């Protein structure tokens, strides 16, 4: 999961390379993963809402598509 709404720990959010986001491990930040590795079931479950959205038919996050 990459749903940052689940993070409750006080650890700082990792800075990831372009195209990657921090995974959520339990209630804290995990390693950086490619955005398409983030599983989602609702639009708000993806991080960085201004860049990424849940592609619900595929069940994973990805960039907005025109």
């Amino acid at each position: 999961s990459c749903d940052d709404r689940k993070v409750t720990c006080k650890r700082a959010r990792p800075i990831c390379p372009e195209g990657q986001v921090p995974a959520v491990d339990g209630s804290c930040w995990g390693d950086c993963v490619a955005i398409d590795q983030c599983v989602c079931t609702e639009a708000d479950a993806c991080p960085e809402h201004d860049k990424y959205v849940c592609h619900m038919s595929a069940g994973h996050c990805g960039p907005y598509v025109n």
Side-chain angles (χ1 to χ4, degrees):
S1 170
C2 301
D3 188 349
D4 54 11
R5 299 174 299 174
K6 296 179 181 178
V7 175
T8 58
C9 72
K10 300 290 184 191
R11 189 172 141 201
R13 182 179 189 196
I15 297 172
C16 299
E18 184 68 33
Q20 293 187 2
V21 294
V24 177
D25 185 12
S27 63
C28 206
W29 300 112
D31 295 330
C32 293
V33 296
I35 188 65
D36 63 358
Q37 291 180 344
C38 297
V39 177
C40 62
T41 56
E42 59 183 284
D44 291 340
C46 296
E48 301 181 28
H49 305 286
D50 58 326
K51 290 197 243 179
Y52 304 117
V53 67
C54 181
H55 297 280
M56 292 199 215
S57 61
H60 65 81
C61 299
Y64 280 99
V65 200
N66 292 334

